[in-house]
């Protein structure tokens, strides 16, 4: 197998050359590829990809797809992509499935910053020649369509200020529409798809103070309310939400590799440390140990 000789300082050219060496010979040296890309930050990975293209006139991602397979290929490819491009790929993949995982769309729409969401939508349009909202509208129906297109179309204010009077009024509106068997859910969708995170959290807090329970408690069944619950959880406490996604993915009889790799790869350079601490506190086992127990190999 290829032996990696580490440069004293980061060199995208040497990284590109070492990755190429790892792909040559009788078998691919997966550990060498992991040892390089797994220890490079976003900016460095971008430079390595550019160097690889310049030296070998080949896209690094295409090389990786040819050499790797399965969960490893997916995780490495997602990790190597720019974040906006990665989210665009994840969104498109889930929409193409017969049973889409709307959590992927909601995470992008409700947890990414307004600027990040805008970048994702640009990347999506460039890749697939449709807007993300257009494809969402094509692959969803009824109130789920309205909700998902609404939160994806938003460009929210992302400051800390909020209006308590508005929060009180809209807490009452949400209660009436969710638990009062309203004929439609237009006001719920308007509030959740236009208000800032700070404003919505103020509304959720006042809701709990007035009605004595969280807004999601006692939700009726059905796909719409399941989707609505996820939207609220992503806005309310993203780290707690991701810790739950990890727990669900790991505790299934068959580990949900897509969800597990998605959370780890997309949050690694954001808030994964905090998510891991929360996971450990709630499950008495670290994410590292849980992943090692469920997964093997590269």
């Amino acid at each position: 197998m290829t032996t990696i000789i580490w440069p004293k300082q980061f060199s995208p050219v040497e990284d590109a050359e070492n990755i190429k060496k790892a792909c040559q010979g009788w078998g691919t040296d997966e550990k060498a590829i992991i040892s390089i890309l797994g220890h490079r930050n976003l900016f460095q990975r971008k430079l390595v990809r550019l160097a690889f293209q310049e030296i070998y006139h080949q896209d690094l991602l295409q090389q990786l797809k040819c050499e790797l397979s399965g969960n490893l290929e997916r995780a490495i490819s997602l990790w190597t992509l720019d974040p906006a491009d990665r989210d665009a790929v994840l969104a498109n993949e889930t929409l193409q499935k017969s049973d889409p995982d709307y959590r992927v769309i909601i995470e992008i729409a409700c947890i990414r910053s307004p600027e990040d969401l805008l970048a994702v939508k640009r990347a999506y349009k460039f890749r697939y020649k449709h807007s993300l909202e257009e494809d969402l509208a094509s692959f969803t129906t009824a109130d789920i369509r309205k909700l998902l297109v609404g939160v994806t179309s938003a460009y929210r204010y992302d400051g800390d200020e909020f209006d308590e009077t508005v929060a009180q009024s809209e807490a009452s509106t949400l209660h009436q529409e969710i638990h009062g068997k309203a004929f439609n859910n237009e006001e719920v969708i308007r509030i959740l798809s236009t208000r800032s995170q700070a404003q919505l959290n103020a509304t959720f807090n006042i809701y709990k103070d007035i009605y004595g329970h969280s807004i999601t408690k006692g939700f009726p069944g059905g796909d719409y309310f399941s989707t609505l619950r996820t939207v609220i959880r992503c806005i309310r406490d993203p780290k707690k939400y991701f810790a739950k996604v990890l727990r669900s993915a790991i505790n299934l009889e068959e580990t949900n590799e897509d969800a597990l790799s998605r959370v780890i790869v997309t949050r690694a350079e954001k808030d994964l440390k905090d998510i891991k601490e929360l996971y450990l506190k709630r499950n008495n086992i670290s994410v590292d140990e849980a992943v090692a127990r469920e997964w093997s190999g590269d």
Side-chain angles (χ1 to χ4, degrees):
M1 287 301 220
T2 306
T3 301
I4 295 297
I5 301 172
W6 292 103
K8 292 180 180 179
Q9 293 182 329
F10 166 67
S11 167
V13 171
E14 289 190 48
D15 276 359
E17 290 173 344
N18 285 328
I19 290 171
K20 189 66 173 179
K21 288 176 187 175
C23 296
Q24 294 172 336
W26 288 104
T28 303
D29 189 348
E30 291 91 351
K31 287 182 174 56
I33 294 172
I34 294 168
S35 70
I36 297 169
L37 293 176
H39 294 88
R40 298 293 178 263
N41 63 34
L42 170 62
F43 180 67
Q44 290 170 332
R45 295 195 303 275
K46 186 180 291 188
L47 292 179
V48 172
R49 192 175 173 187
L50 287 169
F52 196 93
Q53 177 72 48
E54 198 168 302
I55 296 168
Y56 302 108
H57 306 290
Q58 183 181 8
D59 185 2
L60 175 58
L61 282 170
Q62 291 302 317
Q63 177 79 68
L64 295 173
K65 285 180 183 295
C66 292
E67 300 295 331
L68 306 174
S69 62
N71 294 321
L72 176 62
E73 183 274 320
R74 176 177 172 76
I76 289 276
S77 294
L78 288 174
W79 178 243
T80 307
L81 282 167
D82 286 345
D85 215 17
R86 175 199 301 148
D87 281 348
V89 169
L90 287 169
N92 185 260
E93 282 180 354
T94 201
L95 288 176
Q96 299 301 324
K97 294 178 180 177
S98 57
D99 184 21
D101 184 354
Y102 294 133
R103 293 180 305 174
V104 177
I105 305 296
I106 296 165
E107 289 165 14
I108 294 168
C110 297
I111 297 177
R112 309 302 188 256
S113 72
E115 290 299 328
D116 287 346
L117 176 57
L118 198 59
V120 173
K121 293 195 284 187
R122 287 188 182 123
Y124 192 99
K125 185 167 64 173
F126 181 79
R127 262 185 176 267
Y128 303 110
K129 313 309 177 190
H130 305 123
S131 71
L132 177 54
E133 295 92 331
E134 180 183 356
D135 281 355
L136 268 173
S138 298
F139 289 105
T140 55
T141 58
D143 283 336
I144 290 180
R145 172 193 287 165
K146 293 176 185 176
L147 178 61
L148 292 180
V149 171
V151 295
T152 305
S153 302
Y155 185 78
R156 303 175 193 268
Y157 167 70
D158 60 350
D160 296 328
E161 293 84 357
F162 62 88
D163 186 322
E164 189 168 350
T165 303
V166 170
Q168 288 177 333
S169 172
E170 293 187 342
S172 175
T173 300
L174 289 173
H175 186 265
Q176 289 171 10
E177 286 218 357
I178 293 170
H179 299 287
K181 298 181 180 178
F183 180 72
N184 62 61
N185 299 290
E186 287 185 7
E187 281 299 282
V188 173
I189 293 169
R190 175 190 67 79
I191 293 167
L192 291 177
S193 63
T194 60
R195 297 301 188 196
S196 70
Q197 184 180 27
Q199 184 66 51
L200 286 169
N201 276 323
T203 301
F204 300 153
N205 288 335
I206 288 174
Y207 185 102
K208 188 172 184 178
D209 290 342
I210 294 173
Y211 301 105
H213 57 79
S214 70
I215 187 171
T216 56
K217 187 174 182 180
F219 265 17
D223 290 342
Y224 167 71
F225 281 101
S226 175
T227 305
L228 184 64
R229 183 182 291 108
T230 302
V231 169
I232 291 171
R233 286 176 173 171
C234 283
I235 293 169
R236 185 85 172 118
D237 192 337
K239 293 170 188 175
K240 182 179 177 182
Y241 162 81
F242 280 125
K244 284 186 175 181
V245 172
L246 286 176
R247 184 179 62 188
S248 298
I250 292 168
N251 289 346
L252 287 173
E253 189 172 331
E254 290 189 11
T255 306
N256 185 341
E257 289 91 352
D258 283 355
L260 189 55
S261 63
R262 180 181 81 246
V263 173
I264 291 174
V265 168
T266 60
R267 306 317 295 178
E269 295 176 297
K270 297 283 188 182
D271 52 8
L272 185 59
K273 182 180 178 182
D274 296 332
I275 293 166
K276 287 168 69 176
E277 288 175 358
L278 188 58
Y279 185 96
L280 175 61
K281 184 178 179 181
R282 289 175 170 268
N283 300 284
N284 297 316
I285 184 174
S286 71
V287 172
D288 298 41
E289 290 175 293
V291 169
R293 186 180 63 188
E294 296 297 327
W295 271 358
S296 59
D298 294 314

